[in-house]
Amino acid sequence: MARVLVTGSTGFIASHTILRLLEAGHEVRGTARSAERAAALNATLSRYAGRDIAIDIVAADLTGDDGWAEAMDGIDYLQHLASPLPANLPKDHDTLIRPAREGALRALRAAKAAGVRRAVMTSSMAAIAYGWGDRRPAVLDESHWSNPDNLADNTAYTRSKTLAERAAWEYVEGEGAGLELACINPVVVLGPAMSGDVSASLQVVVQPMQGKLPAYPKLTFGVVDVRDVADAHVAAMTDPEAPGRRFLLGESVLTFSEIGDVLREAYPARKLPKGELPNWLVRALSLLNPTLKQIVPELGKTRAFDNSRARALLGRDLVPAREAILESARTLVDLGEL
Ligand code: NAP
């Protein structure tokens, strides 16, 4: 079995990936911005898995060189998941682009120097589906790339993921030749939360459950279960066909209102919002609300995708979006977060 380094080990997808790696018999080391988070992470993993887990954590920040060589020492495979994913997007795009892009290169350079065989990097649908303007393909797949220069159809986050993934491929095709690379490109990741400190993506469930929305903005979300995303990371690490490939991970596309309906049906005692808000109203409200302002460019847009490569990698169908949505809600309710 192999020794695997998981960067951003405290994160939502990383925690599930760590458990899948351990279940497959691999030895796991993690990085976190602070090694002091090791005890809390191991407690969370142990509680969720129902057995004692104690992985080593090395402190390494995407924005600095300290710790990367130590973290990579003796490692066979790199799982690079760390990248900023804030709930509120910064005005200055470099706040996200710099850690995402430079951090990916830092991790890959350290991996190459340590003789790591293969890196699996968590990219995103953000690196596939944005910046197309009116020319967006009706069905997106791994052959498509976002255009980060079209600022009208991008956010700081989508640009950070596109530029980081592009830099990673350029690195392994040049200076880093010999280091194998596969990228995982998920849509919005839902599914079981292990703690209340979860990814910004779970806001898609948290917001309706908190009942703070009057009704749903006309948004659509591709949804995938975190357990499928974790399995894909593990499969892409050893599958002989994976190097040089991207894997778009998404089960299906739902409107925000459809996600709300799934939750309303499961939690009838809660007063969950119903119906859709007209676009003009969201635009008007966004003048006073910075969170709404972020979503205005997304109103009415749908990004359909082909997930056949992901299904082939996993050798099965993906977990239904409905189950991913309900598992997010159930676990957050059980944790007392909702
Ligand atoms: P998450 O729970 O917020 O995890 C992000 C991780 O990145 C955290 O461990 C965070 O560490 C780490 N990180 C952020 N800035 C860092 C820095 N400067 N130095 C070191 N580590 C840093 O989010 P997630 O959903 O699991 O995301 C994991 C990966 O999946 C990211 O690459 C994200 O872009 C990608 N992704 C997520 C989704 C989704 O819907 N969730 C979809 C597509 C792709 P701290 O704990 O110290 O903050």
Side-chain angles (χ1 to χ4, degrees):
M1 287 296 126
R3 284 159 300 180
V4 186
L5 182 74
V6 178
T7 70
S9 58
T10 52
F12 173 51
I13 302 172
S15 304
H16 282 273
T17 304
I18 290 169
L19 288 187
R20 291 298 213 236
L21 288 165
L22 293 172
E23 281 162 20
H26 300 298
E27 196 181 305
V28 177
R29 185 186 296 157
T31 69
R33 278 191 262 199
S34 159
E36 283 166 19
R37 298 193 64 184
L41 173 63
N42 281 318
T44 299
L45 293 171
S46 303
R47 189 173 54 236
Y48 184 82
R51 63 192 172 88
D52 278 349
I53 290 173
I55 64 162
D56 285 338
I57 299 290
V58 174
D61 194 301
L62 294 169
T63 58
D65 291 330
D66 291 351
W68 288 102
E70 184 196 337
M72 220 63 77
D73 187 36
I75 291 295
D76 302 305
Y77 296 103
L78 165 65
Q79 294 277 1
H80 179 57
L81 287 96
S83 201
L85 177 57
N88 289 309
L89 295 168
K91 276 210 177 101
D92 177 5
H93 288 199
D94 278 341
T95 314
L96 300 190
I97 293 171
R98 205 172 302 122
R101 187 181 172 283
E102 290 175 12
L105 289 174
R106 220 167 237 121
L108 293 176
R109 285 197 182 106
K112 171 79 181 154
V116 167
R117 275 177 59 184
R118 188 182 298 177
V120 178
M121 172 165 155
T122 323
S123 183
S124 171
M125 179 70 154
I128 291 177
Y130 291 79
W132 290 89
D134 295 338
R135 295 200 314 260
R136 189 171 56 247
V139 179
L140 292 147
D141 64 33
E142 292 86 350
S143 68
H144 298 121
W145 273 93
S146 295
N147 168 14
D149 299 330
N150 179 0
L151 298 183
D153 189 19
N154 265 291
T155 64
Y157 176 71
T158 58
R159 295 183 73 219
S160 78
K161 296 305 284 182
T162 305
L163 293 169
E165 189 191 335
R166 195 194 270 174
W169 287 116
E170 281 169 7
Y171 175 71
V172 296
E173 281 155 16
E175 194 192 326
L179 174 65
E180 295 178 343
L181 177 67
C183 287
I184 307 294
N185 297 65
V187 296
V188 173
V189 184
L190 301 177
M194 292 191 198
S195 76
D197 177 22
V198 282
S199 170
S201 58
L202 271 78
Q203 285 302 315
V204 170
V205 168
V206 170
Q207 296 273 331
M209 287 291 280
Q210 287 181 334
K212 288 187 184 156
L213 304 164
Y216 298 97
K218 289 183 184 170
L219 298 173
T220 65
F221 299 99
V223 175
V224 66
D225 191 288
V226 66
R227 294 163 291 184
D228 282 340
V229 182
D231 281 345
H233 279 81
V234 179
M237 193 177 91
T238 49
D239 187 312
E241 305 285 322
R245 293 188 145 197
R246 321 165 81 195
F247 296 90
L248 194 166
L249 260 280
E251 198 273 332
S252 55
V253 179
L254 284 87
T255 65
F256 203 1
S257 156
E258 286 169 335
I259 293 173
D261 289 347
V262 169
L263 294 166
R264 207 153 37 83
E265 196 184 294
Y267 296 90
R270 296 186 179 223
K271 295 276 170 272
L272 265 70
K274 195 178 170 184
E276 291 188 316
L277 289 168
N279 290 347
W280 66 263
L281 182 58
V282 178
R283 286 198 186 94
L285 292 172
S286 75
L287 298 174
L288 301 167
N289 181 327
T291 311
L292 281 181
K293 200 171 179 182
Q294 285 179 194
I295 64 165
V296 165
E298 287 299 301
L299 292 171
K301 288 186 185 165
T302 296
R303 295 178 169 87
F305 49 77
D306 174 356
N307 66 6
S308 49
R309 188 181 285 182
R311 283 188 280 118
L313 176 72
L314 295 174
R316 58 171 173 78
D317 283 338
L318 279 76
V319 172
R322 180 187 165 79
E323 188 180 327
I325 294 162
L326 291 174
E327 275 300 280
S328 290
R330 183 189 65 77
T331 47
L332 289 170
V333 168
D334 286 355
L335 287 162
E337 298 290 330
L338 283 176

